[in-house]
């Protein structure tokens, strides 16, 4: 009867003494995860696949489930009663719940369905979330709330919709995984205090972008491909195209996931992944598991966002692998 003792709701009650009302936020995210998992499971049967015809602030085509899942996240986080500002990939501006703010103390940044390009082919997608405390004071604090650095996070994680639905989170005391048991409708603890291996044997990157990668990255990938059994090479390649899936594998098996900076026609280097609700939450999680996350030049969690939808390059995974990649990126290898 382990599933009774190890339910997420029970776990959060025991943690509540230490994490306070953050437990209410995490509990609500679990509810959203159950609702989104149910909708994903029947999407192809109820016409929920495909595009809405709109384009989001990122300039990306919006899927019907992106909008639907965003609405679910907004409603369940509002219902927690303790969230006063929300930032979402699917909302151009931060959502500021003025009526919540006198009491509401949390700011939640999220990507409701990350990897949605996989939706129509029944691929793995996920919901990524990042929680900070309200920073600003007075009615105009929404702007300050939305651009806090990753180091201000008090919790972060994801819900992964795969063969099983898993919620993986950290509140600064290790990384814990809960698997949805559909027979009782509860997330049940499946792993606790996850530690990522110091070094892995898998690299994960979209190699089609190699011609425009920032300096040093192509040399790094060539290094990983080279045959040298004494140093554990070649690595093998895995790429799902869904950050939650690629980072979850890296968290458990080690290695490195990269979405490197890309050099544009103007000579400037830019990233694709969003800092506030993709890179920073995954960085908090991987560091709690003993791993590392950087842009290649600076620690992801140290970046002070210029805007709520800022994009960054990211190298994330095993400590030794990310350190090696940084050395190539800095031209020291
Ligand atoms: P590409 C999904 O759109 C996403 O934001 C991440 O989940 C994923 O890692 C990345 O973009 C995939 O990008 O350019 O390889 O399709």
């Amino acid at each position: 009867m382990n599933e009774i003792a190890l339910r997420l709701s029970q776990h959060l009650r025991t943690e509540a003494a230490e994490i306070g009302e953050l437990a209410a936020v995490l509990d609500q995210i679990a509810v959203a995860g159950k609702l989104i998992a149910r909708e994903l499971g029947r999407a192809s049967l109820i016409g929920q696949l495909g595009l809405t015809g709109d384009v989001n602030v990122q300039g990306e085509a919006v899927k019907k489930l992106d909008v639907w899942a965003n609405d679910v996240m907004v409603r369940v986080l509002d219902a927690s009663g303790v969230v006063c500002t929300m930032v979402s990939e699917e909302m151009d501006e931060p959502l500021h719940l003025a009526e919540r703010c006198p009491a509401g103390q949390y700011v939640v940044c999220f990507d409701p369905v990350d990897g949605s390009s996989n939706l129509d082919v029944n691929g793995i997608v996920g919901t990524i979330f990042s929680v900070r405390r309200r920073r600003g004071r007075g009615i105009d604090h929404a702007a300050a709330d939305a651009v806090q650095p990753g180091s201000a996070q008090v919790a972060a994680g994801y819900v992964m919709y795969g063969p099983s639905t898993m919620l993986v989170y950290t509140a600064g005391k290790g990384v814990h995984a809960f698997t949805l048991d559909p027979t009782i409708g509860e997330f049940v603890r499946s792993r606790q205090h996850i530690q990522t291996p110091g070094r892995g044997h898998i690299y994960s990157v979209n190699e089609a972008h190699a011609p425009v990668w920032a300096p040093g990255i192509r040399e790094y990938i060539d290094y990983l491909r080279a045959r040298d059994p004494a140093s554990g090479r070649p690595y093998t390649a895995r790429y799902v195209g869904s950050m939650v899936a690629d980072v979850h594998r890296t968290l458990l098996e080690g290695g490195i996931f990269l979405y490197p900076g890309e050099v544009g026609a103007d000579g400037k280097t830019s990233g694709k992944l969003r800092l506030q609700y993709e890179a920073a939450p995954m960085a908090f999680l991987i560091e709690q598991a003993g791993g590392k996350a950087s842009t290649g030049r600076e620690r992801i969690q140290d970046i002070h966002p210029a805007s709520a939808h800022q994009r960054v390059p990211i190298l994330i995974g095993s400590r030794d692998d990310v350190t090696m990649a940084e050395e190539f990126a800095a031209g020291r290898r």
Side-chain angles (χ1 to χ4, degrees):
M1 296 296 278
N2 251 355
E3 58 268 41
I4 293 177
L6 300 177
R7 289 172 303 122
L8 176 65
S9 47
Q10 179 64 25
H11 167 84
L12 291 175
R13 269 196 290 278
T14 58
E15 292 293 310
E18 189 146 349
I19 64 175
E21 292 181 322
L22 183 57
V25 178
L26 294 169
D27 200 35
Q28 288 297 94
I29 289 171
V31 171
K34 294 177 191 175
L35 293 170
I36 294 170
R38 182 186 66 184
E39 195 75 358
L40 290 174
R42 61 184 186 175
S44 58
L45 302 175
I46 57 174
Q48 270 282 54
L49 296 180
L51 300 173
T52 63
D54 298 325
V55 173
N56 67 17
V57 67
Q58 329 286 339
E60 296 166 341
V62 176
K63 296 282 181 90
K64 291 176 187 173
L65 282 165
D66 286 325
V67 174
W68 184 87
N70 187 70
D71 180 56
V72 167
M73 285 293 285
V74 168
R75 285 191 288 116
V76 298
L77 290 172
D78 183 18
S80 73
V82 294
V83 174
C84 78
T85 302
M86 300 182 207
V87 173
S88 167
E89 178 179 80
E90 300 308 326
M91 299 190 294
D92 294 0
E93 299 299 326
L95 176 62
H96 179 55
L97 304 173
E99 68 283 4
R100 294 279 183 227
C101 280
Q105 57 179 321
Y106 293 106
V107 180
V108 184
C109 304
F110 56 88
D111 184 352
V113 179
D114 178 73
S116 51
S117 60
N118 286 313
L119 280 172
D120 295 354
V121 294
N122 200 34
I124 292 177
V125 295
T127 299
I128 307 175
F129 60 90
S130 168
V131 188
R132 298 165 177 81
R133 290 191 184 285
R134 184 176 81 176
R135 165 165 290 180
R137 287 290 171 259
I139 193 62
D140 63 348
H141 61 63
D145 283 348
V147 290
Q148 298 180 59
S151 54
Q153 292 177 101
V154 292
Y158 52 83
V159 182
M160 179 178 174
Y161 310 103
S164 66
T165 296
M166 290 187 80
L167 187 149
V168 181
Y169 90 95
T170 184
K173 290 173 53 195
V175 178
H176 312 295
F178 294 80
T179 301
L180 183 61
D181 181 341
T183 65
I184 59 172
E186 293 266 11
F187 280 101
V188 177
R189 193 173 70 201
S190 42
R191 291 189 63 163
Q192 58 178 343
H193 295 295
I194 298 171
Q195 286 293 299
T196 197
R199 186 185 165 202
H201 63 281
I202 300 171
Y203 74 90
S204 182
V205 68
N206 184 339
E207 306 210 33
H209 296 213
V212 292
W213 282 340
I217 299 298
R218 203 178 324 185
E219 291 77 4
Y220 173 59
I221 299 299
D222 288 343
Y223 170 82
L224 296 183
R225 286 190 186 130
R227 175 165 297 282
D228 179 26
S231 65
R233 290 179 289 147
Y235 279 32
T236 190
R238 291 287 184 276
Y239 192 73
V240 179
S242 169
M243 188 184 196
V244 168
D246 287 318
V247 171
H248 184 71
R249 181 197 56 250
T250 305
L251 173 72
L252 299 186
E253 298 190 356
I256 186 168
F257 168 77
L258 311 91
Y259 211 104
E262 298 182 359
V263 181
D266 59 2
K268 292 181 180 173
T269 299
S270 61
K272 172 183 181 181
L273 300 187
R274 277 60 54 148
L275 176 59
Q276 291 301 73
Y277 39 82
E278 290 177 316
M282 293 306 201
F284 185 22
L285 202 79
I286 206 79
E287 288 188 359
Q288 281 283 308
K292 195 172 182 183
S294 83
T295 62
R297 297 194 176 283
E298 64 180 313
R299 179 175 175 253
I300 291 283
Q301 291 225 73
D302 291 341
I303 301 172
H304 285 254
S307 70
H309 297 293
Q310 179 176 336
R311 298 166 182 262
V312 292
I314 185 168
L315 315 174
I316 184 170
S318 295
R319 177 164 293 281
D320 292 354
D321 289 303
V322 175
T323 299
M324 176 75 76
E326 289 171 331
E327 289 179 7
F328 275 89
R332 294 196 295 270
R333 297 279 299 207

